[in-house]
Amino acid sequence: MYSKAEASAIREAFWTAFGQYMALQLSAEGLKINWINYRTGIRHLQFRMEAGPDKACIAIELSAPDAGIRELMLEQFRALRSMLEAHTEEVWRWDNTVDNGQGRVVSRIGTCMEGVSIFRQGDWPALISFFKPRMMALDAFWTDAQHGFELFR
């Protein structure tokens, strides 16, 4: 078991390493991009990467406080589902309502990889191999899909 400070330092080391690795990758539009803090340009719509002690997840998170707005955003993603699946080359899980771990209800579209730990440095290559292609696929998807979300700006 790690102390809070040790766990924080390990997480920071992983995300720093991942950020340095991804810094070489240009966006779908050929631009430099901050992959860890990806900006969608739409309020309450984020791409999230999470790595914990037993799994890693990547998701599109819709965090609008108003459930009706979240549902409208989710409906727009449903209309683009085949495009998302074409970019990611996999079927992701769709959750209408989920507790985000901070006491807020959000909607999520994402996928997870079980059996990996951010606390095992030997798992870091697997984590990077999980996150990199999916984040790049989300970027390519978003390049094509973002105009359908203008009304949520």
Side-chain angles (χ1 to χ4, degrees), residues 30-108:
L31 305 171
K32 284 190 73 106
I33 191 165
N34 181 344
W35 292 99
I36 295 172
N37 294 313
Y38 190 95
R39 303 275 182 218
T40 64
I42 304 296
R43 189 177 172 145
H44 304 300
L45 192 162
Q46 301 86 24
F47 297 163
R48 295 252 190 250
M49 294 181 285
E50 298 173 356
D54 58 358
K55 69 180 178 180
C57 298
I58 186 167
I60 300 166
E61 188 173 280
L62 310 174
S63 60
D66 182 285
I69 298 294
R70 269 197 326 274
E71 182 56 36
L72 286 173
M73 293 173 91
L74 200 54
E75 193 58 40
Q76 184 65 20
F77 274 103
R78 284 188 193 106
L80 299 169
R81 185 177 192 150
S82 61
M83 184 193 311
L84 176 64
E85 291 175 357
H87 280 287
T88 61
E89 299 179 352
E90 58 190 2
V91 176
W92 284 16
R93 180 181 170 146
W94 293 63
D95 293 308
N96 291 345
T97 56
V98 145
D99 183 325
N100 73 348
Q102 299 170 340
R104 289 190 6 213
V105 174
V106 299
S107 298
R108 256 192 209 133

Side-chain angles (χ1 to χ4, degrees), residues 120-144:
R120 285 191 302 265
Q121 198 163 3
D123 285 354
W124 287 12
L127 289 168
I128 289 169
S129 294
F130 173 74
F131 287 130
K132 178 186 175 186
R134 287 164 182 84
M135 199 61 206
M136 293 180 72
L138 278 178
D139 174 60
F141 164 76
W142 192 242
T143 297
D144 294 339

